[in-house]
Amino acid sequence: MIRRVALIFGTRPEAIKMAPLCLELARRQGRFEPLVWVTAQHRQMLDQVLEAFSLIVNRDFNIMQPGQSLTDVTVHALRALEVAFKEDRPDLVIVQGDTTTAMCGALAAFYQRIPVGHVEAGLRTYNKLAPYPEESNRRMVTPLADFHWAPTERARQNLLAERIPDEQIMVTGNTVIDALAIMVEKVRREPPPRPAGFPEGTFDEGRPLVLITGHRRENFGGGFEEICRAIGTLADRYPQGEFVYPVHLNPNVQEPVRRLLGGRTNVHLIEPLEYRPFVWAMDQAHFLLSDSGGVQEEAPFLGKPVLVMRETTERPEAIDAGTARLVGTDAELIIAEATRLLDDRAAYEAMSRAHNPFGDGQACRRIADALAQA
């Protein structure tokens, strides 16, 4: 019987998607003993989520180092996890998604012959360099996992095509919707303080707010130059609009963004937002420009169109449903599609009212129910 469950994560997106599962297992007192372990692959942004969901951490490996490489993260995580597994010996290890922490958690558990559950299993681009290194991380977790919790039927079909046994796969919806449902209810009931640098007032069609996020490694360099050129052109073309960009802390993001976008009165370059104010900001936005995987799932729940600044996506369901559109890092395409959303009400409504393909907010309940029967 599965009782002691180690839930391992290290980045902000992982923490958001694992938090509701940690809470669901903890709620079933007497049946499960959840162990919350964090690698702190990303320290500051991870801590913000832990606080937002009031999660109690059982083990904090604190592996983050200035200027760390992927090799650094991998080596330090594997060493720390080996010790923890030998000492605590969980019945099951759960990892989420596609980070280096997820890959290391699955591999270290396999080395100790501990079963692995994979949340958000089966997403694929079949391009090992996009997203990098996430696509390869996710695909390396798959053969090591014993439970595959796929967010959508398409993800399930990807796993079946890779000869994962059907009885090991369960379509649950995405846990990010569980997390978002919790937080949206909170921010609508009690809005957080307006973030520093965020424009004052309210936003409507006459004064649209465009929320921007960008941090992907594959966009470093020329990709970010093109993204910034597009945002600058849009800000000049729509002086009544407000363009809010919480700038990722990575110097490869900070340098081009501040160099190319600083100084415009309607472009607000602010500090990265904690999860609660970020959910509030998404709820205020007219639409989003993003290269984030999680935003592609979250925005449709809120009825917000997303222009995805990537060449490919492992979440094609959002594209198929019409809630998101791939624009890559082509400045002219970004400008054209953003202009369409700002100028064409019918086009905007077609995206904002499209079906959300990522679940109903009950993914964690389904996972816990399945584990209770395992």
Side-chain angles (χ1 to χ4, degrees), residues 20 44 120 124 143 180 207 210 218 282 291 315 326:
Q44 179 181 350
E120 199 184 68
R124 298 289 187 269
L180 186 58
R207 187 186 176 221
V210 178
E218 60 264 33
M282 283 197 294
D291 64 7
R315 295 168 173 86
L326 280 176

Side-chain angles (χ1 to χ4, degrees), residues 143-178:
L144 302 174
D146 303 273
F147 300 90
H148 304 261
W149 295 305
T152 65
E153 178 60 27
R154 185 189 295 256
R156 174 177 172 271
Q157 291 299 325
N158 289 340
L159 293 166
L160 290 173
E162 296 169 18
R163 305 185 76 173
I164 300 300
D166 191 25
E167 62 270 19
Q168 294 183 7
I169 307 169
M170 181 180 184
V171 177
T172 62
N174 199 304
T175 60
V176 75
I177 304 301
D178 299 38

Side-chain angles (χ1 to χ4, degrees), residues 90-221:
D91 301 310
L92 176 72
V93 167
I94 298 180
V95 298
Q96 192 282 326
D98 55 15
T99 67
T100 302
T101 288
M103 184 271 290
C104 291
L107 182 59
F110 170 71
Y111 285 162
Q112 299 301 316
R113 301 192 179 192
I114 300 171
V116 173
H118 189 194
V119 175
E120 199 184 68
L123 278 63
R124 298 289 187 269
T125 66
Y126 294 106
N127 177 349
K128 68 180 180 181
L129 297 179
Y132 174 82
E134 287 83 3
E135 171 72 8
S136 293
N137 283 340
R138 192 187 297 273
R139 291 175 69 180
M140 283 188 277
V141 171
T142 295
L144 302 174
D146 303 273
F147 300 90
H148 304 261
W149 295 305
T152 65
E153 178 60 27
R154 185 189 295 256
R156 174 177 172 271
Q157 291 299 325
N158 289 340
L159 293 166
L160 290 173
E162 296 169 18
R163 305 185 76 173
I164 300 300
D166 191 25
E167 62 270 19
Q168 294 183 7
I169 307 169
M170 181 180 184
V171 177
T172 62
N174 199 304
T175 60
V176 75
I177 304 301
D178 299 38
L180 186 58
I182 293 170
M183 200 55 62
V184 166
E185 192 275 332
K186 289 182 178 180
V187 302
R188 289 179 178 172
R189 184 180 68 246
E190 185 179 349
R194 190 175 296 263
F198 205 94
E200 295 293 333
T202 58
F203 310 97
D204 54 29
E205 290 182 53
R207 187 186 176 221
L209 171 68
V210 178
L211 184 61
I212 304 154
T213 72
H215 68 280
R216 301 221 68 83
R217 290 173 182 265
E218 60 264 33
N219 288 342
F220 289 172

Side-chain angles (χ1 to χ4, degrees), residues 216-268:
R216 301 221 68 83
R217 290 173 182 265
E218 60 264 33
N219 288 342
F220 289 172
F224 269 102
E225 299 266 343
E226 284 284 287
I227 289 169
C228 291
R229 184 166 74 86
I231 295 167
T233 298
L234 290 166
D236 292 342
R237 185 177 294 178
Y238 295 92
Q240 77 280 17
E242 303 288 0
F243 296 80
V244 177
Y245 192 163
V247 186
H248 196 279
L249 299 176
N250 192 306
N252 292 294
V253 179
Q254 289 272 336
E255 191 283 324
V257 168
R258 298 198 178 277
R259 170 168 51 85
L260 295 171
L261 295 176
R264 286 181 168 83
T265 58
N266 64 335
V267 177
H268 308 273

